[in-house]
Amino acid sequence: WNASRLVYPFIAKTKIDKPEKIHIVDQWILHEHKKFVNKVITAYKNYDFYIVIQELYNYFWEIVADEYLEMIKHRLFENDISAKYTVQRIIRDIIILLHPIAPHITEEIYHRLFGYKKSILLEELPKVDDIQEDPRVEEIGNSIKKFNSMVRSEKIKNRLSMNTPVYVKLYASKKFIENIKIVEDDLK
């Protein structure tokens, strides 16, 4: 619910077409999204609802909410089409996949954000065949998660709030530092 409220002003009732160039952070989340969607659809086909719930929780809370949405907030306010397209796509797919488990709230979110059809029940399962798999993008994503985890741990250890700006001096492998430099503006 809170994630849909965050993105509401940027994507509500607007169909955003895929941009020609997708930002590297958006490529990473789409890569993660493809893995998530495929796992959840397979779990539904196998009637394995535990996996469905586990994947929804892990993907949404640990990757989308904790990592991705925090990183793209500034790009949404800058009207970045890549961020808007990507967040619209992943939120829509998540609520479609969550609908069999939480029908009332997903129907409400669907109508507020999208409403393309009379009911979310008329939507097809998400298709992710168009998402490119790129090991380099996955490597950058793993670096992002590791970097954010290190910063959060230090803030907790030093009793700082999560929104307190900090100066970070990073000692790491050359490859890790290169990966972080690519997304440095999104990590600030």
Side-chain angles (χ1 to χ4, degrees):
W1 181 255
N2 286 340
S4 65
R5 288 181 55 210
L6 169 69
V7 301
Y8 178 83
F10 307 104
I11 66 169
K13 306 284 186 186
T14 328
K15 188 142 180 131
I16 301 166
D17 293 324
K18 185 175 184 176
E20 285 185 33
K21 179 148 176 50
I22 295 184
H23 189 281
I24 191 76
V25 173
D26 301 327
Q27 290 177 42
W28 162 65
I29 197 66
L30 287 170
H31 178 80
E32 293 291 325
H33 186 66
K34 182 175 185 172
K35 292 190 295 187
F36 158 75
V37 168
N38 288 332
K39 284 180 190 175
V40 170
I41 290 174
T42 300
Y44 271 128
K45 287 179 181 176
N46 294 326
Y47 301 100
D48 194 343
F49 296 103
Y50 174 77
I51 296 294
V52 171
I53 298 288
Q54 182 181 25
E55 288 300 320
L56 279 161
Y57 181 83
N58 291 342
Y59 172 67
F60 183 76
W61 287 113
E62 294 176 12
I63 297 175
V64 175
D66 282 354
E67 304 289 343
Y68 182 68
L69 290 178
E70 290 300 320
M71 287 175 46
I72 67 156
K73 278 182 189 174
H74 75 281
R75 290 178 40 225
L76 289 173
F77 283 102
E78 293 167 1
N79 206 27
D80 183 292
I81 195 70
S82 177
K84 288 170 68 173
Y85 163 79
T86 304
V87 78
Q88 183 179 60
R89 180 174 183 169
I90 62 176
I91 295 292
R92 183 176 167 272
D93 289 356
I94 288 169
I95 64 170
I96 289 170
L97 291 171
L98 181 60
H99 185 70
I101 294 164
H104 301 292
I105 189 70
T106 53
E107 188 74 44
E108 183 69 23
I109 293 169
Y110 176 81
H111 279 289
R112 287 180 188 228
L113 288 181
F114 307 106
Y116 305 141
K117 298 186 177 179
K118 191 173 183 172
S119 171
I120 193 172
L121 290 170
L122 299 172
E123 290 285 354
E124 293 181 18
L125 287 175
K127 292 177 178 35
V128 290
D129 299 335
D130 65 312
I131 298 173
Q132 303 279 326
E133 294 187 39
D134 183 347
R136 177 79 176 119
V137 169
E138 186 171 21
E139 180 185 326
I140 291 169
N142 289 334
S143 297
I144 290 169
K145 289 190 289 188
K146 187 172 185 177
F147 176 81
N148 284 341
S149 175
M150 290 186 300
V151 171
R152 274 192 212 105
S153 294
E154 286 301 311
K155 283 184 172 185
I156 290 167
K157 190 168 91 177
N158 290 296
R159 298 182 180 174
L160 298 171
S161 70
M162 288 301 135
N163 61 357
T164 302
V166 293
Y167 173 77
V168 176
K169 189 162 189 169
L170 184 61
Y171 298 96
S173 70
K174 183 178 178 182
K175 191 69 166 169
F176 186 84
I177 292 172
E178 287 171 4
N179 289 345
I180 295 303
K181 282 192 183 277
I182 292 170
V183 295
E184 184 176 1
D185 289 339
D186 295 295
L187 294 172
K188 290 182 180 176

